[in-house]
Amino acid sequence: MKMSPLEVQPAAPAHEAGTPPVMLELVNVWKRFGESPAQTVAVSNVNLKINKGEFVTLVGPSGCGKSTLFNMIAGLLPPDDDGSLLLRGAPQRDGQMLGQVSFMPQRDLLFPWRTVLDNAILAMEVEGVPRKLARAKAEAMLPEFGLSGFAKHYPHQLSGGMRQRVALMRTFLFERDVLLLDEPFGALDALTRSFMQHWLLDIWARHRRTVLFITHDIDEAIVLGDKVLVMTARPGTVKSETVIDLPRPRDPSVVTSPEFMHIKRRLLAEIEEESRKTFAQEAAP
Ligand code: ADP
């Protein structure tokens, strides 16, 4: 059977000419919480490869283990002994991932008593970058993040979109090759969200970091991603990997194209199937 370029395709082997090197690899990663019989298997047998500079989005029903997976990649939670995590091809033992990736959790976690600039430099400060140098770096980035003139404002004086941009700027300023973004636009209204998606794509095109992005929104996953990973109901594992071959840069009108609709229909069916399983799990006594 002939395969359309939008169908699920196996990832190209790293040695193929023109394929960027693998930045992050997960091999048979598991996470179980508690002891049997009250054990929760949050993540099971996750295998994935993310190439350098790739933008990968991750969708799946609530409670399927997405945040647990992120916490393991960020080094905040050790994976179980079964599997391994590799960064630039090097296996990472317990605790070694900590500080190796930039991580933006779901809530923006801005300190209300700190200005925009001082919130933005937080991760650099923790790393020991002198405050003056950190501030100068952050100031230079304000225009790109749409925050010119807001250096001395406090979080409560900002819109939701601006707060997210401060949090993203902090994540970018922590200069790591891999960025983990956990539903950064989940709390924004639809118009701001669409604006922020395209703004993020511009920033990504300029900086070319490797991005792993969690979302509940299928449109968002397709608009942003080079690849969309769908996770199964808990215990979460990768159900499918879809290469998104839509041309870049992506215009907001991409969501109306037949190619987009074709991918969306298939992914929706997959996620609905997994959401039904989650519902059945939750309804079980
Ligand atoms: P998602 O981010 O996809 O909504 P999570 O990773 O937050 O899912 O959670 C996956 C499963 O693991 C859930 O059933 C959750 O209750 C469970 N879980 C997460 N963290 C812990 C923990 N520290 N202790 C026990 N169970 C946990």
Side-chain angles (χ1 to χ4, degrees):
M1 191 182 76
K2 195 168 173 291
M3 219 182 193
S4 124
L6 301 175
E7 300 295 332
V8 179
Q9 295 172 357
H15 61 267
E16 258 181 26
T19 306
V22 176
M23 174 61 78
L24 179 69
E25 184 170 1
L26 273 65
V27 182
N28 189 32
V29 167
W30 290 71
K31 187 69 197 175
R32 305 163 184 86
F33 292 108
E35 298 295 326
S36 181
Q39 190 176 66
T40 302
V41 185
V43 168
S44 67
N45 187 26
V46 167
N47 292 285
L48 62 92
K49 277 185 189 169
I50 301 181
N51 295 331
K52 187 169 192 296
E54 209 171 20
F55 199 128
V56 175
T57 52
L58 185 71
V59 280
S62 311
C64 75
K66 300 182 293 296
S67 300
T68 303
L69 195 62
F70 260 36
N71 286 334
M72 289 191 282
I73 298 172
L76 300 170
L77 200 63
D80 292 348
D81 292 337
D82 323 51
S84 44
L85 260 148
L86 294 90
L87 192 65
R88 293 182 213 87
Q92 306 290 307
R93 276 181 290 282
D94 272 5
Q96 285 187 316
M97 284 301 286
L98 198 62
Q100 302 244 36
V101 302
S102 307
F103 180 42
M104 180 173 157
Q106 249 175 51
R107 288 180 45 243
D108 63 34
L109 297 180
L110 299 182
F111 288 140
W113 60 88
R114 281 192 159 220
T115 62
V116 162
L117 205 64
D118 286 344
N119 265 294
I121 65 169
L122 207 69
M124 283 194 285
E125 265 190 305
V126 171
E127 261 210 308
V129 177
R131 190 176 263 218
K132 204 168 160 196
L133 176 64
R135 281 194 170 143
K137 277 187 159 186
E139 274 210 77
M141 254 197 187
L142 287 173
E144 196 177 7
F145 281 73
L147 294 163
S148 301
F150 287 90
K152 295 198 169 121
H153 283 59
Y154 287 88
H156 75 272
Q157 298 172 302
L158 307 177
S159 69
M162 290 168 92
R163 290 172 59 101
Q164 290 307 85
R165 294 204 294 277
V166 177
L168 277 162
M169 188 167 135
R170 175 160 75 195
T171 314
F172 267 84
L173 279 164
F174 190 61
E175 291 171 339
R176 296 296 181 271
D177 293 332
V178 180
L179 282 179
L180 302 181
L181 306 177
D182 191 352
E183 281 215 74
F185 307 144
L188 302 178
D189 64 86
L191 281 179
T192 310
R193 188 170 184 146
S194 170
F195 171 81
M196 292 285 286
Q197 288 163 359
H198 291 279
W199 167 83
L200 177 63
L201 284 179
D202 281 351
I203 299 260
W204 170 72
R206 274 199 294 275
H207 294 261
R208 274 294 162 171
R209 305 269 184 88
T210 308
V211 178
L212 185 55
F213 185 110
I214 292 183
T215 177
H216 272 100
D217 180 331
I218 298 182
D219 282 15
E220 181 165 86
I222 305 169
V223 165
L224 296 177
D226 291 317
K227 213 191 262 172
V228 178
L229 307 177
V230 174
M231 278 184 81
T232 64
R234 187 167 53 78
T237 190
V238 178
K239 177 184 175 82
S240 73
E241 193 174 308
T242 301
V243 174
I244 309 296
D245 224 359
L246 300 167
R248 291 192 188 269
R250 291 186 188 154
D251 185 85
S253 66
V254 71
V255 296
T256 58
S257 73
E259 293 86 354
F260 185 96
M261 296 308 288
H262 173 78
I263 307 170
K264 183 174 172 177
R265 261 195 297 278
R266 190 169 49 72
L267 292 182
L268 263 177
E270 286 186 16
I271 292 164
E272 270 171 28
E273 187 182 348
E274 296 310 314
S275 298
R276 266 197 299 275
K277 287 185 202 160
T278 301
F279 181 76
Q281 278 171 357
E282 288 172 355

